[in-house]
Amino acid sequence: MDVGLAHLDRTFDYLVPAEAADTAQPGVRVRVRFGGQLVDGFVLSRAAESDFGGKLGFLDRVVSPEVVLTPEVAALARAVADRYAGSLADVLRLAVPPRHARAEKVTAEPPPTEEPPAPPAEDAWQGYPAGPAYLRAVADGRAPRAVFTALPGEDWGARLADALVAALAGGRGGLAVVPDARDLDRLDAALTERLGTGRHVAIAASLGPSERYSRFLRAARGQVRLVVGTRAAMFAPVPDLGLLAIWDDGDDLHADEHAPYPHAREVLLTRAQLTDAAMLVAGYARSTEAQLLVATGWAKEITADRPALRAAAPRVVPTGDEFQLARDPGAAAARLPSVAWEAAQSALRADSPVLVQVPRRGYLPVVVCQRCRARGRCPECGGPLAVPDSGGFPVCRWCGHTAGGYRCPECGGRALRAAVVGARRTAEELGRAFRGVPVRTSGRDGVLGRVPDGAGLVVSTPGAEPPADGGYGAVLLLDAWALLTRADLRAAEETLRRWLAAAVLARPAAAGGRVVAVADASLPVVQALVRFDAAGFAERELADRRELGFPPAVRMASLTGSPTAIAAVLAAADLPDGVDELGPVPVPKPRNRPDAPDTERLLLRVPRGKGPALATALRAATGARSARKDPQPVRVQIDPLDLL
């Protein structure tokens, strides 16, 4: 039932009226009376008798005879709810999209009768020694599990399409999840090129409720056996799963923001276990969670051989190595050192585009007093000031107040200067530096789809880098400190992921492609970029996490709420032995609610083997508080991405 109360997270028995005996089948939507109200629910199973000793009520009605919750997805939803200390109702809201009657009225097409496609060619994964064997295993109906690190410049959409076609060739279905709509378009196009139209569907929340439900029904009815999509597709009812794949699992878009906050990677790993399907975790970078799969032997790695990597990779030059500092002593302080300038000039002279990655969007997102360097604060609410446009007045990022007559409260100065330069200001500066060269930006205000070959500058924020026809002649990675100095456990890992996403768009070194990282060459993350060694860096990160006792080497739970509410959860929870309590620490109040009640955050840490026991204990504790109708909520997150 769609009742989100933790203490009601169980199944309930109802009598089926005679007139609904044929339509009230497992997996259909129904309406039932519960607690004096009509609520939505699903039929999970039918039985001749009930072990409930009281009086049973009748189903009110069958909402639709359409089977939208398959037994496999129902079992998966239960497993996900248990892993994340959540309720089944919350997971089912994520798994089954809302009903649209008009979409259901479309006549169901019979399942496709086409012959299975031919398996991918033997040279489909050329350059990856273990790749062909993996594809053969998938096509043979086996369940290999692999972590795949793609080459620079690789058409990763084509490689994932190869794996999905292999599953279809073996007579089974496939499901692939990607971070965003641009990635989905790329994979969708690759599958269409191989299979034609009508043999797969692409599902994303951005489609709109009606279209998303229509495509969901095509999978539920067995009309297609391949589904690709963003996070919304991770529960898609694909029949007879043979392969589950995820691209770029380190992207935070894979983490759902709705309770119980599951991560697409963990959902797909759980699903692979339950269905005995093959698993593929793929990306240019490698997360520590993916490295843990390799380290424990759960998955094998698929990487390129060194000759293939050398042939595909661009030359990477950090500005902070000894040679560059001796050649250009000012490189340590310059935002665009001479080596970066020369790389851009060389590419533009060769009529090639140049990509400039800037970590911050906007114009001047952070300003400080020119005299004393105190951060510019709004005189109305104390929020941070930013300059949105060239020649514009500073504006508060919290309340929107325009501080035209700004006076520094520390020294009385009236002039402001930039502390952080955004993508639009960078584009303006480069436009003045490289006169006559077209400059375009790609970011939140507008993401470029593709860049034609020819001289030009593209200034992009991370994640919005458009590919260029023929590749970029140079890629400049600016303001490394903005990524590396974040107070985040995953700062270095995320920095390498974002750098690689831009660096792989450059042309190979043999074709003159260069990547310039404005960063200290001695940093491990910079050395990993120079060698394109995502696996080695992930291995080092995992070793450090094990030594320090941080995820994914351990399991963690985050409790966020008032001090009394958190204390009540701890008192009610039968926590496993050896649990470590980290904190509590105060949680900053929302910007627009300075009068909000005080909240704090507590972290609970246990060895990985005790993770299920921790989730069970917290789920039971929240259920007990829910039964007592405790008015103070506590947000429970298992393995949160953000530990702050």
Side-chain angles (χ1 to χ4, degrees), residues 337-364:
S338 60
V339 63
W341 178 277
E342 292 168 2
Q345 284 278 36
S346 176
L348 294 173
R349 283 196 299 267
D351 201 28
S352 301
V354 175
L355 175 65
V356 182
Q357 186 193 73
V358 181
R360 302 290 183 89
R361 61 177 181 263
Y363 190 75
L364 297 180

Side-chain angles (χ1 to χ4, degrees), residues 308-322:
L309 180 58
R310 284 195 294 269
R315 179 190 174 202
V316 180
V317 180
T319 61
D321 63 13
E322 293 182 0

Side-chain angles (χ1 to χ4, degrees), residues 469-490:
D469 295 335
Y472 289 97
V475 174
L476 312 182
L477 307 175
L478 305 187
D479 302 339
W481 60 268
L483 293 174
L484 291 170
T485 58
R486 292 181 305 142
D488 186 354
L489 174 68
R490 302 174 186 269

Side-chain angles (χ1 to χ4, degrees), residues 222-567:
Q223 296 168 359
V224 294
R225 306 187 73 177
L226 293 182
V227 174
V228 295
T230 55
R231 187 183 65 231
M234 59 185 172
F235 291 101
V238 180
D240 191 18
L241 270 170
L243 172 69
L244 294 151
I246 185 170
W247 173 257
D248 197 11
D249 68 298
D251 195 314
D252 57 9
L253 291 176
H254 285 303
D256 205 297
E257 297 179 353
H258 301 90
Y261 318 105
H263 194 286
R265 177 190 55 245
E266 303 306 319
V267 172
L268 296 184
L269 291 175
T270 302
R271 197 167 184 179
Q273 289 279 79
L274 294 176
T275 59
D276 193 27
M279 184 72 205
L280 184 64
V281 181
Y284 290 120
R286 182 180 296 185
S287 67
T288 50
E289 287 81 5
Q291 180 60 31
L292 182 64
L293 300 177
V294 174
T296 57
W298 193 90
K300 302 296 183 181
E301 63 179 0
I302 299 178
T303 56
D305 52 31
R306 295 305 300 180
L309 180 58
R310 284 195 294 269
R315 179 190 174 202
V316 180
V317 180
T319 61
D321 63 13
E322 293 182 0
F323 173 78
Q324 294 298 337
L325 289 176
R327 180 169 174 262
D328 181 10
R335 186 161 186 254
L336 194 66
S338 60
V339 63
W341 178 277
E342 292 168 2
Q345 284 278 36
S346 176
L348 294 173
R349 283 196 299 267
D351 201 28
S352 301
V354 175
L355 175 65
V356 182
Q357 186 193 73
V358 181
R360 302 290 183 89
R361 61 177 181 263
Y363 190 75
L364 297 180
V366 180
V367 291
V368 297
C369 174
Q370 184 167 313
R371 181 187 297 173
C372 71
R373 300 299 191 267
R375 183 162 184 174
R377 293 287 179 181
C378 174
E380 298 294 326
C381 71
L385 293 178
V387 177
D389 298 294
S390 175
F393 290 107
V395 175
C396 178
R397 294 171 59 187
W398 289 4
C399 69
H401 173 75
T402 300
Y406 176 78
R407 180 184 291 273
C408 176
E410 300 293 332
C411 69
R414 291 186 174 275
L416 291 167
R417 62 168 292 165
V420 175
V421 178
R424 282 193 288 124
R425 173 60 180 266
T426 302
E428 182 181 287
E429 293 175 348
L430 292 175
R432 290 196 297 264
F434 298 94
R435 294 189 180 277
V437 177
V439 181
R440 285 171 285 183
T441 60
S442 182
R444 188 179 67 172
D445 297 334
V447 178
L448 299 177
R450 197 166 190 89
V451 175
D453 198 8
L457 289 162
V458 178
V459 181
S460 173
T461 53
E465 301 92 349
D469 295 335
Y472 289 97
V475 174
L476 312 182
L477 307 175
L478 305 187
D479 302 339
W481 60 268
L483 293 174
L484 291 170
T485 58
R486 292 181 305 142
D488 186 354
L489 174 68
R490 302 174 186 269
E493 177 185 331
E494 179 66 5
T495 298
L496 181 60
R497 189 186 73 81
R498 293 183 175 188
W499 281 353
L500 286 174
V504 297
L505 300 178
R507 296 173 181 176
R514 276 198 288 176
V515 176
V516 179
V518 184
D520 185 350
S522 65
L523 297 174
V525 64
V526 178
Q527 288 299 309
L529 175 66
V530 170
R531 299 190 303 271
F532 276 88
D533 186 17
F537 183 79
E539 184 178 4
R540 176 177 179 148
E541 278 285 296
L542 181 60
D544 290 344
R545 306 270 185 92
R546 280 176 167 156
E547 183 177 352
L548 298 173
F550 284 117
V554 299
R555 296 286 297 277
M556 273 193 173
S558 167
L559 308 182
T560 306
S562 68
T564 55
I566 292 178

